[in-house]
Amino acid sequence: GEDVEQSLFLSVREGDSSVINCTYTDSSSTYLYWYKQEPGAGLQLLTYIFSNMDMKQDQRLTVLLNKKDKHLSLRIADTQTGDSAIYFCAERKDTGRRALTFGSGTRLQVQP
Amino acid sequence: NAGVTQTPKFQVLKTGQSMTLQCAQDMNHEYMSWYRQDPGMGLRLIHYSVGAGITDQGEVPNGYNVSRSTTEDFPLRLLSAAPSQTSVYFCASRPSTTYTEAFFGQGTRLTVV
C-alpha cells in the first residue's frame, strides 16, 4: 500500500481554520514535510518537522506530529482564498536513498 | 538568482520519439533529482544525483536516462517515449548539507500520443 496517505479534498470557509491530515508507515522517517502546489506551479516547501519534535509553529501554520500513531497534521489558521492549493505531505527515510516519499496530495478549497 | 529552471514547459511527443528534458540550477547545489507527478498521485523519484559524475536510480527509473557532467545541469532523457510516460516532470535541487528539497522547477508537462 501507500507509504504516505492523505485525504483527497478539504473545503473550508475563508477565516476558518483548515486541518490537513497525513499518515505514514515508516517509523525510520526522520523528517516530515508539507509542500504547497498552486495550479500550474512547482512545489513550494511550506514547513518541515524533525521526528523528535511534537509540534512546530510558523506564523499561521502549525504542524503536529504523533509518532506513536504515525500521524502528521498541518493546521492553517485564518484560512484565506490564497491558501487554495494542493498540499502534499512527504517523508524522508533515514535509510536507503534518503529520497522523499510523497502522499497523493489534499486539495484545499477555500470558499469566500 | 534564477533558482531551478526547466525547459520546455510543455511538450507533445509521438510514441517512439526521443527527447531531453532540461534542468539547470544556479545555486551550486550538489544534489539534484527528477520526479514525475501523475494525476491523483504524489511525486515519485525517477533519478537523482549527489554531485557531478554521480547518478543513481530512484523509484521509477525505467525508460529514463540521466547524466550529470556539471554541477549546474541535470538533463533527463527519454530514449523511446511511451504513452505511460505522459506526466508532469519536476526537477529539484538542494545543498548536500540539507535534507530538504526546497527548490523545485516549474515543471514540464509531457504528453506522449
Side-chain angles (χ1 to χ4, degrees), chain A residues 9-89:
Chain A
F9 186 76
L10 175 66
S11 181
V12 300
R13 290 199 176 275
E14 192 173 17
D16 287 350
S17 292
S18 308
V19 179
I20 303 170
N21 294 303
C22 170
T23 57
Y24 61 99
T25 57
D26 194 328
S27 58
S28 72
S29 297
T30 53
Y31 298 80
L32 295 134
Y33 306 89
W34 285 104
Y35 287 86
K36 176 183 181 183
Q37 185 181 34
E38 297 183 64
L43 273 69
Q44 173 193 355
L45 177 65
L46 284 179
T47 187
Y48 63 94
I49 189 168
F50 297 115
S51 59
N52 62 357
M53 297 169 64
D54 298 324
M55 185 182 86
K56 181 178 180 182
Q57 188 154 3
D58 184 2
Q59 298 182 334
R60 292 191 296 122
L61 305 179
T62 303
V63 179
L64 294 177
L65 175 61
N66 181 329
K67 282 195 72 176
K68 176 177 169 291
D69 295 336
K70 299 190 183 68
H71 182 265
L72 182 74
S73 67
L74 174 69
R75 179 177 180 269
I76 306 173
D78 187 25
T79 312
Q80 303 298 306
T81 54
D83 295 324
S84 293
I86 300 176
Y87 291 80
F88 291 95
C89 168

Side-chain angles (χ1 to χ4, degrees), chain B residues 2-72:
Chain B
V4 179
T5 304
Q6 288 183 238
T7 55
K9 287 190 169 52
F10 301 94
Q11 183 71 49
V12 178
L13 288 179
K14 294 183 179 177
T15 297
Q17 284 186 314
S18 63
M19 81 159 294
T20 299
L21 279 62
Q22 302 292 343
C23 175
Q25 51 92 9
D26 60 358
M27 298 170 283
N28 203 31
H29 287 168
E30 296 88 353
Y31 187 99
M32 296 184 74
S33 53
W34 276 102
Y35 290 85
R36 61 178 286 174
Q37 183 181 32
D38 299 304
M41 299 181 70
L43 278 69
R44 292 182 292 168
L45 182 66
I46 305 172
H47 284 285
Y48 67 99
S49 168
V50 299
I54 306 169
T55 64
D56 206 348
Q57 296 181 346
E59 181 186 354
V60 287
N62 292 341
Y64 307 95
N65 281 349
V66 291
S67 60
R68 185 92 181 272
S69 56
T70 66
T71 299
E72 294 77 19

Side-chain angles (χ1 to χ4, degrees), chain A residues 86-106:
Chain A
I86 300 176
Y87 291 80
F88 291 95
C89 168
E91 64 173 349
R92 179 179 305 284
K93 299 177 172 56
D94 199 29
T95 57
R97 299 188 195 97
R98 295 195 171 94
L100 293 176
T101 300
F102 286 84
S104 55
T106 299

Side-chain angles (χ1 to χ4, degrees), chain A residues 31 33 92, chain B residues 30-31 93-103:
Chain A
Y31 298 80
Y33 306 89
R92 179 179 305 284
Chain B
E30 296 88 353
Y31 187 99
S93 77
R94 62 171 169 84
S96 61
T97 52
T98 72
Y99 286 118
T100 307
E101 261 95 324
F103 301 91

Side-chain angles (χ1 to χ4, degrees), chain B residues 78-94:
Chain B
L78 285 72
L79 296 179
S80 179
S84 61
Q85 294 178 304
T86 294
S87 189
V88 181
Y89 292 84
F90 289 100
C91 180
S93 77
R94 62 171 169 84

